[in-house]
Amino acid sequence: MDGEKDGRVAGLKEKPQILVDADACPVKAEVLKVAERLGVAVTLVSNGGMRPSRDPMVRNVVVPKEKADAADDWIVENAHANDVVVTADIPLAARAVALGAHVLGPTGRPFTPETIGMAVAMRDLKQHLRETGESKGYNAAFTPRDRSRFLEELDRTLRRALKAATT
């Protein structure tokens, strides 16, 4: 059908979905909890090692391990404007923001058109400092406060996306 991509027809408002870059994602359980409460489908994308869910609203997608960024590519190919993407990967976040998706890091940090440029620049700077030996590149530990902030921000973001889909 003209204007159709992955079962969605261009111009029609669709209920948002949540796509999770699931490899090493510390908030999968929180995503599932909020999605179940709000009746939203979740797709967990990884390169393996995920236990299938019995919940019909949860889908696991396993991408080839051999191809770098296969999970990122799958998410970008299947995400739409107003979907929610959960990732700590800044380049993936930038690609998803460009699609018009709502993007959250696992600490609850939203990536928006206004903030993604600085996030990419900081990522590139940190990578350069690691490569030159100026920085060891340690990441801050994931805390209970991060988990709580993520839950709050996911709930707020998903409710905003659901409202946008009905207006």
Side-chain angles (χ1 to χ4, degrees):
M1 188 174 357
D2 284 351
E4 190 173 304
K5 178 183 176 189
D6 299 325
R8 295 188 186 202
V9 178
L12 295 182
K13 301 225 179 204
E14 294 286 333
K15 191 170 188 178
Q17 63 179 331
I18 303 173
L19 298 124
V20 180
D21 184 7
D23 289 321
C25 177
V27 291
K28 289 187 284 278
E30 288 77 6
V31 169
L32 298 176
K33 177 180 175 182
V34 173
E36 181 179 16
R37 185 173 66 240
L38 297 176
V40 176
V42 176
T43 302
L44 302 169
V45 185
S46 71
N47 62 12
M50 299 249 327
R51 190 176 294 177
S53 173
R54 292 182 181 173
D55 185 338
M57 295 291 285
V58 178
R59 175 170 68 151
N60 288 356
V61 172
V62 179
V63 296
K65 293 179 185 179
E66 299 79 34
K67 184 178 179 269
D69 297 329
D72 299 2
D73 292 343
W74 193 97
I75 290 169
V76 170
E77 290 166 9
N78 291 277
H80 300 83
N82 203 40
D83 283 344
V84 177
V85 175
V86 177
T87 185
D89 183 299
I90 302 297
L92 171 56
R95 292 170 69 191
V97 165
L99 294 171
H102 305 277
V103 184
L104 291 177
T107 61
R109 175 184 181 191
F111 296 104
T112 67
E114 296 78 25
T115 64
I116 195 63
M118 182 60 76
V120 170
M122 289 302 297
R123 178 210 176 259
D124 292 346
L125 174 62
K126 289 177 182 180
Q127 182 176 350
H128 174 74
L129 293 173
R130 284 190 304 273
E131 288 170 355
T132 60
E134 297 286 325
S135 171
K136 301 278 189 238
Y138 300 118
N139 290 327
F142 188 75
T143 68
R145 184 167 182 212
D146 293 330
R147 191 175 307 281
S148 176
R149 187 172 37 245
F150 175 80
L151 267 168
E152 290 173 16
E153 192 60 37
L154 178 61
D155 186 78
R156 182 177 15 258
T157 300
L158 197 50
R159 287 180 189 279
R160 189 170 59 240
L162 287 165
K163 184 175 181 182
T166 61
T167 56

